[in-house]
Each structure stands twice: as structure tokens, then as C-alpha cells.
């Protein structure tokens, strides 16, 4: 049975493509999410909304104003690119910086059916320690991409997320059981 096999780390900078909705700066790049170094982190940028006013007939320039938008969701997308056959995720682990925690995280998965579906929601605590959450099984259906949507965070002023470690544990296609005949 698949659940009896040992879980392996499925996320590293060589096997998975990572995209994020924002990054604060190069010192907190997305490559630090899974570099194995506890001293580096990824930090989302302060979500902003821009309000523009078009030029008036008697002026030559338009004006714009950027405002903080703390309720804008932050996303991280993990993609196991073709020809990778996908993964069987079983657990997700986070290490946040306290005060900058994603308190509600929706975990979506993309299978060969090419439709995003909600796998689960997890609710990390506002602490610095590693936190682990079991994921519901998708059976033997490989997942090709996972999207994490941080719907709200503990940074009430700006909505930033600071993540020192992200890991998905599960089964590799080579360790997945063969399809039932």
C-alpha cells in the first residue's frame, strides 16, 4: 500500500519550478524557499493597489497613487515540469517568521485533468517553529503542480508573508505503486 512507503522531500530548486505572486527584494528571493539554509528566507512584497487618474484636458500627465492592500492573497506555485510524471503529496511543512505567518493557507493541486482543485486548507500558528500538516490523499493520481494561497496573514499592517522553509513530502513516481490492473 502506498501509505506504508517512506515519504521523501519533493521540493528542491533543481526538480521543481517555483513562482510567487511577489518578492520583497533579491535578498529574499523565492530560491531561498527550499535551499536548506535556515538563515535565508522568501518574503512577499507589500501588496499594493494602484489608483490612476487619466490626464485632464488641461494637464499633460496622469497621476497615480499606490496604497497598501493587506487583504490581497499571496501565492506560491510549485510545478514539476514535463516530462516529470508528477508527485503524490502527503504532507506540507512550513517554517515562517513569527508575525509574518500565513494564517489561512489554501492548498490547490493540478492533475493531468488540467483543472485546479482545492486539496485542503491549513491553519499555521503564528510561531517561528517548523509546522507540519498532513494532506488528503489523491490516491494514485499524480499531481503536477501545487498552488498555495495565503489568504490572510498575521502581519495586519501590510499583509507580508516571510517563509524560511517550504517542503512537500510524499511519494516519487518511482516509489508509487503500479496502477491496478
Amino acid at each position: 500500500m502506498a501509505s506504508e512507503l517512506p515519504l521523501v522531500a519533493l521540493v528542491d530548486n533543481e526538480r521543481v519550478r517555483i513562482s510567487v505572486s511577489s518578492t520583497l527584494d533579491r535578498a529574499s528571493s523565492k530560491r531561498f524557499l527550499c535551499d536548506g539554509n535556515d538563515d535565508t528566507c522568501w518574503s512577499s512584497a507589500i501588496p499594493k493597489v494602484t489608483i490612476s487618474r487619466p490626464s485632464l484636458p488641461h494637464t499633460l500627465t496622469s497621476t497615480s497613487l499606490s496604497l497598501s492592500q493587506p487583504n490581497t492573497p499571496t501565492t506560491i506555485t510549485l510545478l514539476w515540469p514535463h516530462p516529470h510524471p508528477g508527485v503524490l503529496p502527503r504532507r506540507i511543512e512550513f517554517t515562517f517568521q513569527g508575525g509574518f505567518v500565513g494564517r489561512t493557507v489554501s492548498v490547490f493541486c493540478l492533475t493531468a485533468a488540467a483543472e485546479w482543485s482545492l486539496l485542503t486548507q491549513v491553519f499555521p500558528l503564528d510561531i517561528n517553529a517548523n509546522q507540519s500538516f498532513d494532506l488528503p490523499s489523491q490516491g494514485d493520481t499524480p499531481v503536477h503542480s501545487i498552488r498555495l494561497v495565503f489568504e490572510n496573514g498575521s502581519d495586519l499592517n501590510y499583509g507580508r508573508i516571510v517563509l524560511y522553509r517550504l517542503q512537500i513530502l510524499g511519494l516519487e513516481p518511482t516509489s508509487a505503486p503500479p496502477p491496478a490492473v
Side-chain angles (χ1 to χ4, degrees):
M1 177 181 253
S3 63
E4 296 175 11
L5 295 172
L7 300 180
V8 297
L10 301 174
V11 178
D12 63 44
N13 285 325
E14 295 175 14
R15 292 186 300 169
V16 68
R17 279 193 219 147
I18 302 172
S19 62
V20 295
S21 57
S22 67
T23 297
L24 183 61
D25 57 29
R26 288 183 183 193
S28 61
S29 169
K30 65 185 178 183
R31 74 178 179 273
F32 298 135
L33 283 169
C34 55
D35 67 352
N37 185 344
D38 292 337
D39 295 327
T40 60
C41 68
W42 165 77
S43 178
S44 66
I46 299 170
K48 294 196 181 273
V49 64
T50 301
I51 303 169
S52 296
R53 185 178 73 186
S55 306
L56 299 174
H58 61 281
T59 63
L60 298 176
T61 61
S62 63
T63 58
S64 66
L65 173 67
S66 291
L67 304 171
S68 291
Q69 185 67 29
N71 295 326
T72 302
T74 298
T75 62
I76 298 174
T77 303
L78 308 168
L79 170 68
W80 288 268
H82 184 74
H84 196 286
V87 296
L88 302 172
R90 299 295 189 252
R91 184 177 308 139
I92 187 168
E93 296 181 348
F94 301 106
T95 303
F96 291 95
Q97 178 176 326
F100 300 92
V101 173
R103 291 189 296 184
T104 302
V105 183
S106 295
V107 181
F108 292 88
C109 66
L110 181 68
T111 62
E115 292 183 17
W116 287 101
S117 60
L118 179 65
L119 187 59
T120 192
Q121 280 192 315
V122 297
F123 304 94
L125 300 174
D126 190 359
I127 58 174
N128 294 2
N130 190 53
Q131 300 179 61
S132 181
F133 302 91
D134 288 333
L135 298 173
S137 174
Q138 295 291 296
D140 294 333
T141 304
V143 170
H144 297 279
S145 188
I146 292 177
R147 178 169 291 152
L148 307 173
V149 180
F150 300 90
E151 297 180 16
N152 60 45
S154 59
D155 178 16
L156 300 177
N157 294 325
Y158 300 106
R160 293 168 294 182
I161 305 292
V162 178
L163 196 51
Y164 280 86
R165 182 173 177 273
L166 168 64
Q167 188 55 259
I168 306 287
L169 299 170
L171 303 174
E172 292 275 8
T174 57
S175 61
V181 180

